[in-house]
Amino acid sequence: IPEIGVKSEGVGRLTVVLMKNHEPQQGVRLSIRKDGRVLGSDFTDGTGSAGFRLMHGDYECIVQDRSRQIRVFTLHFRENNQKILIEL
């Protein structure tokens, strides 16, 4: 039950942008994980971007490309509307 007058602090939108050789990567699956739990998954759009609504903190970003290769990157999400660029 939400409490009236209580502001949720540390929540915001994180945008992850995937690039390879300075080109945006479309259609790549991203998953955001914290403490071993997957909190959200999305596919990158035409600009190489995928967005997530998260609490501020440290996360793992699991990137699975079209060849099914999986890479894991550590993300530090500190401010609302933050963009993090990952170069593959």
Side-chain angles (χ1 to χ4, degrees):
I1 300 174
E3 296 181 43
I4 296 173
V6 174
K7 180 183 174 194
S8 65
E9 295 200 57
V11 177
R13 181 156 180 83
L14 169 66
T15 301
V16 178
V17 181
L18 280 187
M19 304 289 276
K20 186 173 185 178
N21 300 322
H22 305 290
E23 294 287 327
Q25 298 299 294
Q26 182 177 5
V28 178
R29 181 187 170 105
L30 300 182
S31 297
I32 299 294
R33 182 169 67 189
K34 186 174 182 88
D35 300 326
R37 293 180 51 215
V38 174
L39 303 177
S41 293
D42 197 5
F43 288 92
T44 56
D45 62 16
T47 66
S49 300
F52 304 92
R53 185 162 169 77
L54 302 168
M55 298 284 291
H56 293 168
D58 297 330
Y59 297 89
E60 290 181 319
C61 179
I62 297 96
V63 177
Q64 183 174 6
D65 63 21
R66 290 177 200 93
S67 66
R68 298 243 186 246
Q69 180 180 3
I70 295 175
R71 297 185 207 174
V72 179
F73 299 88
T74 300
L75 305 180
H76 305 288
F77 179 44
R78 300 288 182 257
E79 60 190 55
N80 190 25
N81 294 319
Q82 183 175 343
K83 276 191 179 181
I84 295 178
L85 174 68
I86 296 177
E87 182 73 34
L88 299 177

Coordinates of all heavy atoms in Angstrom, one line a residue:
I1 N 0.9 -1.2 0.0 CA 0.0 0.0 0.0 C 0.9 1.2 0.0 O 1.7 1.4 0.9 CB -0.9 0.0 1.2 CG1 -1.8 -1.2 1.2 CG2 -1.7 1.3 1.3 CD1 -2.7 -1.4 2.5
P2 N 0.7 2.1 -1.0 CA 1.5 3.3 -1.0 C 1.2 4.3 0.1 O 0.0 4.4 0.5 CB 1.2 4.0 -2.4 CG 0.1 3.2 -3.0 CD -0.1 2.0 -2.1
E3 N 2.2 4.9 0.7 CA 2.0 5.9 1.8 C 1.9 7.3 1.2 O 2.7 7.7 0.3 CB 3.1 5.8 2.8 CG 3.2 4.5 3.5 CD 4.3 4.5 4.5 OE1 4.5 5.5 5.2 OE2 5.0 3.5 4.6
I4 N 0.9 8.0 1.6 CA 0.7 9.4 1.1 C 1.7 10.3 1.7 O 2.0 10.2 2.9 CB -0.7 9.9 1.4 CG1 -1.7 9.0 0.7 CG2 -0.9 11.3 1.0 CD1 -3.2 9.2 1.0
G5 N 2.3 11.1 0.9 CA 3.3 12.1 1.3 C 4.7 11.5 1.5 O 5.6 12.2 1.8
V6 N 4.9 10.3 1.2 CA 6.3 9.7 1.3 C 6.8 9.6 -0.2 O 6.2 9.0 -1.0 CB 6.2 8.3 1.9 CG1 7.6 7.6 1.8 CG2 5.7 8.3 3.3
K7 N 7.9 10.3 -0.3 CA 8.6 10.3 -1.6 C 9.6 9.1 -1.8 O 10.4 8.9 -0.9 CB 9.4 11.6 -1.8 CG 10.0 11.8 -3.1 CD 10.9 13.1 -3.2 CE 11.7 13.1 -4.4 NZ 12.7 14.2 -4.4
S8 N 9.4 8.4 -2.8 CA 10.3 7.3 -3.0 C 11.6 7.9 -3.6 O 11.6 8.4 -4.7 CB 9.8 6.2 -4.0 OG 9.6 6.8 -5.3
E9 N 12.7 7.7 -2.9 CA 14.0 8.3 -3.3 C 14.8 7.2 -4.0 O 14.7 6.0 -3.6 CB 14.7 8.9 -2.1 CG 14.0 10.0 -1.5 CD 14.8 10.9 -0.7 OE1 15.9 11.4 -1.2 OE2 14.5 11.1 0.5
G10 N 15.6 7.6 -4.9 CA 16.5 6.7 -5.5 C 15.9 5.8 -6.6 O 16.4 4.7 -6.9
V11 N 14.8 6.2 -7.1 CA 14.2 5.5 -8.2 C 14.2 6.3 -9.5 O 14.1 7.5 -9.4 CB 12.7 5.2 -7.9 CG1 12.0 4.4 -9.1 CG2 12.5 4.4 -6.7
G12 N 14.5 5.7 -10.6 CA 14.6 6.4 -11.8 C 14.7 5.6 -13.0 O 14.5 4.3 -13.0
R13 N 14.9 6.2 -14.2 CA 15.0 5.5 -15.4 C 16.4 5.4 -15.9 O 17.1 6.4 -16.0 CB 14.1 6.2 -16.5 CG 14.1 5.5 -17.8 CD 12.9 5.9 -18.6 NE 12.9 5.2 -19.9 CZ 12.5 4.0 -20.1 NH1 12.0 3.3 -19.1 NH2 12.5 3.5 -21.3
L14 N 16.8 4.2 -16.2 CA 18.2 3.9 -16.7 C 18.0 3.5 -18.2 O 17.2 2.7 -18.5 CB 18.8 2.8 -15.9 CG 20.1 2.2 -16.5 CD1 21.2 3.3 -16.5 CD2 20.6 1.0 -15.8
T15 N 18.8 4.2 -19.0 CA 18.9 3.8 -20.4 C 20.3 3.2 -20.7 O 21.3 3.9 -20.4 CB 18.6 5.0 -21.3 OG1 17.3 5.6 -21.0 CG2 18.7 4.6 -22.8
V16 N 20.3 2.0 -21.3 CA 21.5 1.4 -21.7 C 21.6 1.5 -23.2 O 20.6 1.1 -23.9 CB 21.6 -0.1 -21.2 CG1 22.9 -0.7 -21.7 CG2 21.4 -0.2 -19.7
V17 N 22.7 2.0 -23.7 CA 23.0 2.1 -25.1 C 24.1 1.2 -25.6 O 25.2 1.3 -25.0 CB 23.3 3.6 -25.5 CG1 23.5 3.7 -27.0 CG2 22.2 4.5 -25.0
L18 N 23.8 0.3 -26.5 CA 24.8 -0.7 -27.0 C 25.4 -0.2 -28.3 O 24.6 0.0 -29.2 CB 24.1 -2.1 -27.2 CG 23.9 -3.0 -26.0 CD1 23.4 -4.3 -26.5 CD2 25.2 -3.1 -25.2
M19 N 26.7 -0.2 -28.4 CA 27.4 0.2 -29.6 C 28.4 -0.8 -29.9 O 29.0 -1.5 -29.0 CB 28.1 1.6 -29.4 CG 27.1 2.7 -29.0 SD 26.0 3.2 -30.3 CE 27.0 4.3 -31.2
K20 N 28.7 -1.0 -31.2 CA 29.8 -1.9 -31.7 C 30.4 -1.2 -32.9 O 29.7 -0.9 -33.8 CB 29.3 -3.2 -32.1 CG 30.3 -4.2 -32.4 CD 29.7 -5.6 -32.6 CE 30.8 -6.6 -32.8 NZ 30.2 -8.0 -33.0
N21 N 31.7 -0.9 -32.8 CA 32.4 -0.1 -33.8 C 31.7 1.2 -34.1 O 31.5 1.6 -35.3 CB 32.5 -0.9 -35.1 CG 33.3 -2.2 -34.9 OD1 34.3 -2.2 -34.1 ND2 32.9 -3.3 -35.5
H22 N 31.2 1.9 -33.1 CA 30.5 3.2 -33.1 C 29.1 3.1 -33.8 O 28.6 4.1 -34.3 CB 31.4 4.2 -33.8 CG 32.7 4.4 -33.1 ND1 32.8 4.9 -31.9 CD2 33.9 4.0 -33.5 CE1 34.1 4.9 -31.5 NE2 34.8 4.4 -32.5
E23 N 28.6 1.9 -34.0 CA 27.3 1.7 -34.6 C 26.3 1.2 -33.5 O 26.6 0.2 -32.8 CB 27.3 0.7 -35.8 CG 28.2 1.1 -36.9 CD 27.5 2.2 -37.8 OE1 26.2 2.2 -37.8 OE2 28.2 3.1 -38.3
P24 N 25.1 1.8 -33.5 CA 24.1 1.2 -32.5 C 23.7 -0.2 -32.9 O 23.6 -0.5 -34.0 CB 22.9 2.2 -32.6 CG 23.2 3.0 -33.9 CD 24.6 2.9 -34.2
Q25 N 23.5 -1.0 -31.9 CA 23.2 -2.4 -32.0 C 21.7 -2.6 -31.8 O 21.2 -2.5 -30.6 CB 24.0 -3.3 -31.1 CG 25.5 -3.2 -31.4 CD 25.8 -3.6 -32.8 OE1 25.7 -4.8 -33.2 NE2 26.3 -2.7 -33.7
Q26 N 20.9 -2.9 -32.8 CA 19.5 -3.1 -32.7 C 19.1 -4.6 -32.5 O 19.8 -5.5 -33.0 CB 18.8 -2.6 -33.9 CG 17.2 -2.7 -33.9 CD 16.6 -2.2 -35.1 OE1 17.2 -1.7 -36.0 NE2 15.3 -2.1 -35.1
G27 N 18.1 -4.9 -31.7 CA 17.6 -6.2 -31.5 C 18.4 -7.1 -30.6 O 18.3 -8.3 -30.7
V28 N 19.2 -6.5 -29.8 CA 20.0 -7.3 -28.8 C 19.3 -7.3 -27.5 O 18.7 -6.4 -27.0 CB 21.4 -6.6 -28.6 CG1 22.2 -7.4 -27.6 CG2 22.2 -6.5 -29.9
R29 N 19.2 -8.5 -26.9 CA 18.5 -8.7 -25.6 C 19.4 -8.3 -24.5 O 20.5 -8.7 -24.3 CB 18.1 -10.2 -25.5 CG 17.4 -10.5 -24.2 CD 17.1 -12.0 -24.0 NE 16.6 -12.2 -22.7 CZ 15.3 -12.5 -22.5 NH1 14.5 -12.6 -23.4 NH2 14.9 -12.7 -21.2
L30 N 18.8 -7.4 -23.6 CA 19.5 -7.0 -22.4 C 18.7 -7.5 -21.2 O 17.4 -7.4 -21.2 CB 19.6 -5.5 -22.3 CG 20.4 -4.8 -23.4 CD1 20.4 -3.3 -23.1 CD2 21.8 -5.3 -23.5
S31 N 19.3 -7.9 -20.2 CA 18.7 -8.3 -18.9 C 19.4 -7.5 -17.8 O 20.6 -7.5 -17.8 CB 18.6 -9.8 -18.6 OG 17.9 -10.4 -19.6
I32 N 18.7 -7.0 -16.8 CA 19.2 -6.4 -15.7 C 19.1 -7.3 -14.5 O 18.0 -7.8 -14.2 CB 18.6 -5.0 -15.4 CG1 18.7 -4.1 -16.6 CG2 19.1 -4.4 -14.1 CD1 20.1 -3.6 -16.9
R33 N 20.2 -7.5 -13.8 CA 20.2 -8.5 -12.7 C 20.8 -7.8 -11.4 O 21.8 -7.1 -11.5 CB 21.0 -9.7 -13.1 CG 21.0 -10.8 -12.1 CD 21.6 -12.1 -12.7 NE 23.0 -11.9 -13.0 CZ 23.7 -12.8 -13.7 NH1 23.2 -13.9 -14.1 NH2 25.0 -12.6 -13.9
K34 N 20.3 -8.2 -10.3 CA 20.8 -7.7 -9.0 C 20.7 -8.9 -8.0 O 19.6 -9.5 -7.9 CB 20.1 -6.5 -8.5 CG 20.8 -5.9 -7.2 CD 20.1 -4.6 -6.8 CE 20.7 -4.0 -5.6 NZ 21.9 -3.1 -6.0
D35 N 21.8 -9.2 -7.3 CA 21.8 -10.3 -6.3 C 21.3 -11.6 -6.9 O 20.5 -12.3 -6.3 CB 21.0 -9.9 -5.1 CG 21.5 -8.7 -4.4 OD1 22.7 -8.5 -4.4 OD2 20.7 -7.9 -3.9
G36 N 21.6 -11.8 -8.2 CA 21.3 -13.1 -8.8 C 19.8 -13.2 -9.4 O 19.5 -14.1 -10.0
R37 N 19.0 -12.1 -9.2 CA 17.7 -12.1 -9.7 C 17.5 -11.2 -10.9 O 18.0 -10.0 -10.8 CB 16.7 -11.6 -8.6 CG 16.6 -12.5 -7.4 CD 15.7 -12.0 -6.3 NE 14.4 -11.6 -6.9 CZ 13.7 -10.6 -6.4 NH1 14.1 -9.9 -5.4 NH2 12.5 -10.3 -6.9
V38 N 16.9 -11.6 -11.9 CA 16.6 -10.8 -13.1 C 15.5 -9.9 -12.8 O 14.4 -10.3 -12.5 CB 16.4 -11.7 -14.4 CG1 16.0 -10.8 -15.5 CG2 17.6 -12.5 -14.7
L39 N 15.7 -8.6 -12.9 CA 14.7 -7.6 -12.6 C 13.9 -7.1 -13.8 O 12.9 -6.5 -13.7 CB 15.3 -6.4 -11.9 CG 16.1 -6.7 -10.6 CD1 16.7 -5.5 -10.0 CD2 15.2 -7.4 -9.6
G40 N 14.5 -7.2 -15.0 CA 13.9 -6.8 -16.2 C 14.7 -7.2 -17.5 O 15.9 -7.4 -17.4
S41 N 14.0 -7.3 -18.6 CA 14.6 -7.6 -19.9 C 14.0 -6.8 -20.9 O 12.8 -6.4 -20.9 CB 14.5 -9.1 -20.2 OG 15.2 -9.9 -19.3
D42 N 14.8 -6.5 -21.9 CA 14.3 -5.7 -23.1 C 15.2 -5.9 -24.3 O 16.3 -6.4 -24.1 CB 14.3 -4.2 -22.7 CG 13.4 -3.3 -23.6 OD1 12.7 -3.9 -24.5 OD2 13.4 -2.1 -23.4
F43 N 14.7 -5.5 -25.4 CA 15.5 -5.6 -26.6 C 15.9 -4.2 -27.1 O 15.1 -3.3 -26.9 CB 14.8 -6.3 -27.8 CG 14.7 -7.8 -27.6 CD1 13.6 -8.3 -27.0 CD2 15.6 -8.6 -28.1 CE1 13.4 -9.7 -26.8 CE2 15.5 -10.0 -27.9 CZ 14.4 -10.5 -27.2
T44 N 17.1 -4.0 -27.6 CA 17.5 -2.6 -28.0 C 16.7 -2.2 -29.2 O 16.4 -3.0 -30.1 CB 19.0 -2.6 -28.3 OG1 19.4 -3.6 -29.2 CG2 19.8 -2.8 -27.0
D45 N 16.5 -0.9 -29.3 CA 15.8 -0.4 -30.5 C 16.8 0.1 -31.6 O 17.9 -0.2 -31.5 CB 14.9 0.8 -30.0 CG 15.6 2.0 -29.4 OD1 16.8 2.0 -29.6 OD2 15.0 2.8 -28.8
G46 N 16.3 0.8 -32.5 CA 17.1 1.3 -33.6 C 18.3 2.2 -33.3 O 19.2 2.3 -34.0
T47 N 18.2 2.8 -32.1 CA 19.3 3.6 -31.6 C 20.2 2.9 -30.7 O 21.1 3.5 -30.1 CB 18.7 4.9 -30.8 OG1 18.1 4.5 -29.7 CG2 17.8 5.7 -31.7
G48 N 20.0 1.6 -30.5 CA 20.8 0.7 -29.6 C 20.4 0.9 -28.2 O 21.1 0.4 -27.3
S49 N 19.2 1.5 -27.9 CA 18.8 1.8 -26.5 C 17.8 0.8 -26.0 O 16.9 0.3 -26.7 CB 18.2 3.2 -26.4 OG 19.2 4.1 -26.9
A50 N 17.9 0.6 -24.7 CA 16.8 -0.2 -23.9 C 16.7 0.5 -22.6 O 17.7 1.0 -22.0 CB 17.2 -1.6 -23.7
G51 N 15.5 0.6 -22.1 CA 15.2 1.4 -20.8 C 14.7 0.5 -19.7 O 13.9 -0.5 -20.0
F52 N 15.0 0.9 -18.5 CA 14.6 0.2 -17.3 C 14.3 1.2 -16.2 O 14.9 2.2 -16.1 CB 15.7 -0.8 -16.8 CG 16.1 -1.8 -17.9 CD1 17.2 -1.5 -18.7 CD2 15.4 -3.0 -18.0 CE1 17.6 -2.4 -19.7 CE2 15.8 -3.9 -19.0 CZ 16.9 -3.6 -19.8
R53 N 13.2 0.9 -15.4 CA 12.9 1.7 -14.2 C 13.4 0.9 -13.0 O 13.0 -0.2 -12.8 CB 11.4 1.9 -14.1 CG 11.0 2.8 -13.0 CD 9.6 3.4 -13.2 NE 9.1 4.0 -12.1 CZ 9.5 5.2 -11.7 NH1 10.4 5.9 -12.4 NH2 9.0 5.8 -10.6
L54 N 14.4 1.5 -12.3 CA 15.1 0.8 -11.2 C 15.4 1.7 -10.0 O 15.3 2.9 -10.2 CB 16.5 0.3 -11.8 CG 16.5 -0.6 -13.0 CD1 18.0 -0.7 -13.5 CD2 16.0 -2.0 -12.6
M55 N 15.7 1.1 -8.9 CA 16.2 1.8 -7.8 C 17.7 2.1 -8.1 O 18.3 1.3 -8.8 CB 16.1 0.9 -6.5 CG 14.7 0.5 -6.1 SD 13.8 1.8 -5.3 CE 14.7 2.0 -3.8
H56 N 18.2 3.2 -7.5 CA 19.6 3.5 -7.7 C 20.4 2.4 -7.1 O 20.0 1.8 -6.0 CB 19.9 4.8 -7.1 CG 19.3 6.0 -7.8 ND1 19.3 7.2 -7.3 CD2 18.6 6.0 -9.0 CE1 18.7 8.0 -8.2 NE2 18.3 7.3 -9.2
G57 N 21.5 2.0 -7.7 CA 22.4 1.0 -7.1 C 23.3 0.4 -8.2 O 23.4 0.9 -9.3
D58 N 23.9 -0.7 -7.8 CA 24.8 -1.5 -8.7 C 24.0 -2.7 -9.3 O 23.4 -3.4 -8.5 CB 26.0 -1.9 -8.0 CG 26.9 -0.7 -7.5 OD1 26.8 0.4 -8.2 OD2 27.5 -0.8 -6.5
Y59 N 24.2 -2.9 -10.6 CA 23.5 -4.0 -11.3 C 24.4 -4.7 -12.2 O 25.5 -4.1 -12.6 CB 22.3 -3.5 -12.1 CG 21.2 -2.8 -11.2 CD1 21.3 -1.5 -10.9 CD2 20.2 -3.6 -10.7 CE1 20.3 -0.9 -10.1 CE2 19.2 -3.0 -9.9 CZ 19.3 -1.7 -9.6 OH 18.3 -1.1 -8.8
E60 N 24.1 -5.9 -12.7 CA 24.7 -6.6 -13.8 C 23.8 -6.4 -15.0 O 22.6 -6.6 -14.9 CB 25.0 -8.0 -13.4 CG 26.0 -8.3 -12.4 CD 26.2 -9.7 -12.1 OE1 25.2 -10.5 -12.1 OE2 27.4 -10.1 -12.0
C61 N 24.4 -6.1 -16.1 CA 23.7 -6.1 -17.4 C 24.2 -7.3 -18.2 O 25.3 -7.4 -18.5 CB 24.0 -4.8 -18.1 SG 23.1 -4.7 -19.7
I62 N 23.2 -8.2 -18.5 CA 23.6 -9.4 -19.3 C 23.2 -9.1 -20.7 O 22.0 -8.8 -21.0 CB 22.8 -10.6 -18.8 CG1 23.3 -11.0 -17.4 CG2 23.1 -11.8 -19.7 CD1 22.4 -10.4 -16.3
V63 N 24.1 -9.1 -21.6 CA 23.9 -8.8 -23.1 C 24.0 -10.2 -23.8 O 25.0 -10.9 -23.7 CB 25.0 -7.9 -23.6 CG1 24.8 -7.6 -25.1 CG2 24.9 -6.6 -22.8
Q64 N 22.9 -10.5 -24.6 CA 23.0 -11.7 -25.4 C 22.8 -11.2 -26.8 O 21.7 -10.8 -27.2 CB 21.9 -12.7 -25.0 CG 21.9 -14.0 -25.8 CD 20.9 -15.0 -25.3 OE1 20.1 -14.7 -24.4 NE2 21.0 -16.2 -25.9
D65 N 23.8 -11.4 -27.6 CA 23.7 -10.9 -29.0 C 23.1 -12.0 -29.9 O 22.7 -13.0 -29.5 CB 25.1 -10.4 -29.5 CG 26.1 -11.5 -29.6 OD1 25.8 -12.7 -29.6 OD2 27.3 -11.2 -29.6
R66 N 23.0 -11.6 -31.2 CA 22.3 -12.5 -32.2 C 23.0 -13.9 -32.3 O 22.4 -14.9 -32.6 CB 22.2 -11.9 -33.5 CG 21.3 -10.7 -33.5 CD 21.2 -10.0 -34.9 NE 20.7 -8.7 -34.7 CZ 21.4 -7.6 -34.5 NH1 22.7 -7.6 -34.5 NH2 20.9 -6.4 -34.4
S67 N 24.3 -13.9 -32.0 CA 25.1 -15.2 -32.1 C 25.0 -16.0 -30.8 O 25.7 -17.0 -30.6 CB 26.5 -14.9 -32.5 OG 27.2 -14.3 -31.4
R68 N 24.1 -15.5 -29.9 CA 23.9 -16.1 -28.6 C 25.1 -16.0 -27.6 O 25.1 -16.7 -26.6 CB 23.5 -17.6 -28.7 CG 22.2 -17.8 -29.5 CD 21.2 -18.5 -28.6 NE 20.0 -18.8 -29.3 CZ 18.8 -18.2 -29.0 NH1 18.7 -17.3 -28.2 NH2 17.7 -18.6 -29.6
Q69 N 26.0 -15.2 -28.0 CA 27.1 -14.9 -27.1 C 26.6 -14.1 -25.9 O 25.9 -13.1 -26.1 CB 28.3 -14.2 -27.8 CG 29.5 -13.9 -26.9 CD 30.6 -13.2 -27.6 OE1 30.4 -12.9 -28.8 NE2 31.7 -13.0 -26.9
I70 N 27.0 -14.4 -24.7 CA 26.5 -13.7 -23.5 C 27.7 -13.0 -22.9 O 28.8 -13.6 -22.7 CB 25.9 -14.7 -22.5 CG1 24.6 -15.3 -23.1 CG2 25.6 -14.0 -21.2 CD1 23.9 -16.3 -22.3
R71 N 27.5 -11.7 -22.6 CA 28.5 -10.9 -21.9 C 27.8 -10.3 -20.7 O 26.7 -9.9 -20.8 CB 29.1 -9.9 -22.8 CG 29.9 -10.4 -23.9 CD 30.5 -9.3 -24.7 NE 30.7 -9.7 -26.1 CZ 31.1 -9.0 -27.0 NH1 31.4 -7.7 -26.8 NH2 31.2 -9.4 -28.3
V72 N 28.6 -10.1 -19.6 CA 28.1 -9.4 -18.4 C 28.9 -8.2 -18.1 O 30.1 -8.2 -18.1 CB 28.1 -10.4 -17.2 CG1 27.6 -9.7 -16.0 CG2 27.3 -11.7 -17.5
F73 N 28.1 -7.1 -17.9 CA 28.8 -5.8 -17.6 C 28.2 -5.3 -16.2 O 27.0 -5.5 -16.0 CB 28.4 -4.8 -18.7 CG 29.0 -5.1 -20.0 CD1 28.2 -5.9 -20.9 CD2 30.2 -4.7 -20.4 CE1 28.6 -6.3 -22.1 CE2 30.7 -5.1 -21.7 CZ 29.9 -5.9 -22.5
T74 N 29.0 -4.6 -15.4 CA 28.6 -4.0 -14.2 C 28.2 -2.6 -14.5 O 28.9 -1.9 -15.1 CB 29.7 -4.1 -13.2 OG1 30.1 -5.4 -12.9 CG2 29.3 -3.4 -11.8
L75 N 27.0 -2.2 -14.0 CA 26.4 -0.9 -14.1 C 26.3 -0.2 -12.8 O 25.9 -0.9 -11.8 CB 25.1 -0.9 -14.8 CG 24.9 -1.7 -16.1 CD1 23.5 -1.6 -16.6 CD2 25.9 -1.1 -17.1
H76 N 26.6 1.1 -12.7 CA 26.4 1.9 -11.5 C 25.4 2.9 -11.8 O 25.7 3.9 -12.4 CB 27.8 2.5 -11.1 CG 28.9 1.5 -11.0 ND1 28.9 0.6 -9.9 CD2 29.9 1.2 -11.8 CE1 30.0 -0.2 -10.0 NE2 30.6 0.2 -11.2
F77 N 24.2 2.7 -11.3 CA 23.0 3.6 -11.6 C 22.9 4.5 -10.4 O 22.6 4.1 -9.3 CB 21.8 2.7 -11.8 CG 20.5 3.5 -12.1 CD1 20.5 4.6 -12.9 CD2 19.3 3.2 -11.5 CE1 19.4 5.3 -13.2 CE2 18.2 3.9 -11.7 CZ 18.2 5.0 -12.5
R78 N 23.1 5.8 -10.7 CA 23.2 6.8 -9.6 C 22.2 8.0 -9.7 O 21.9 8.6 -8.7 CB 24.6 7.4 -9.4 CG 25.6 6.4 -9.2 CD 25.6 5.9 -7.7 NE 26.6 4.9 -7.4 CZ 26.5 3.6 -7.4 NH1 25.3 3.1 -7.6 NH2 27.5 2.8 -7.1
E79 N 21.7 8.2 -10.9 CA 20.8 9.4 -11.0 C 19.7 9.1 -12.1 O 19.9 8.3 -13.0 CB 21.6 10.6 -11.5 CG 22.3 10.5 -12.8 CD 23.3 11.6 -13.1 OE1 24.2 11.9 -12.2 OE2 23.1 12.2 -14.2
N80 N 18.6 9.8 -11.9 CA 17.4 9.6 -12.8 C 17.8 10.0 -14.2 O 18.5 10.9 -14.4 CB 16.2 10.3 -12.3 CG 15.0 10.0 -13.0 OD1 14.8 8.9 -13.6 ND2 14.0 10.9 -13.1
N81 N 17.2 9.3 -15.2 CA 17.4 9.5 -16.6 C 18.9 9.4 -17.0 O 19.4 10.0 -17.9 CB 16.9 10.9 -17.0 CG 15.4 10.9 -16.9 OD1 14.7 10.0 -17.2 ND2 14.9 12.0 -16.4
Q82 N 19.6 8.5 -16.3 CA 21.0 8.2 -16.6 C 21.1 7.4 -17.8 O 20.3 6.4 -18.0 CB 21.7 7.6 -15.4 CG 23.2 7.3 -15.6 CD 23.8 6.7 -14.3 OE1 23.2 6.8 -13.2 NE2 24.9 6.2 -14.4
K83 N 22.1 7.7 -18.7 CA 22.4 6.8 -19.9 C 23.8 6.2 -19.7 O 24.7 6.9 -19.3 CB 22.4 7.7 -21.1 CG 21.1 7.9 -21.8 CD 21.3 8.5 -23.1 CE 19.9 8.7 -23.7 NZ 20.0 9.2 -25.1
I84 N 23.9 4.9 -19.9 CA 25.1 4.2 -19.8 C 25.4 3.6 -21.2 O 24.6 2.9 -21.7 CB 25.1 3.1 -18.7 CG1 24.9 3.8 -17.4 CG2 26.4 2.3 -18.7 CD1 24.8 2.8 -16.2
L85 N 26.6 3.9 -21.7 CA 27.0 3.4 -23.0 C 27.9 2.2 -22.8 O 28.8 2.2 -22.0 CB 27.8 4.5 -23.7 CG 28.4 4.0 -25.1 CD1 27.4 3.8 -26.1 CD2 29.4 5.1 -25.5
I86 N 27.5 1.1 -23.5 CA 28.3 -0.1 -23.5 C 28.9 -0.4 -24.9 O 28.1 -0.5 -25.8 CB 27.5 -1.4 -23.0 CG1 27.1 -1.2 -21.6 CG2 28.3 -2.6 -23.2 CD1 26.2 -2.3 -21.1
E87 N 30.2 -0.4 -25.0 CA 30.8 -0.7 -26.3 C 31.2 -2.2 -26.3 O 31.8 -2.7 -25.5 CB 32.1 0.1 -26.4 CG 32.8 0.0 -27.8 CD 32.1 0.6 -28.9 OE1 31.5 1.7 -28.8 OE2 32.2 0.1 -30.0
L88 N 30.6 -2.9 -27.3 CA 30.8 -4.3 -27.5 C 32.1 -4.6 -28.2 O 32.6 -3.8 -29.0 CB 29.7 -5.0 -28.2 CG 28.3 -4.9 -27.5 CD1 27.2 -5.5 -28.3 CD2 28.4 -5.5 -26.1

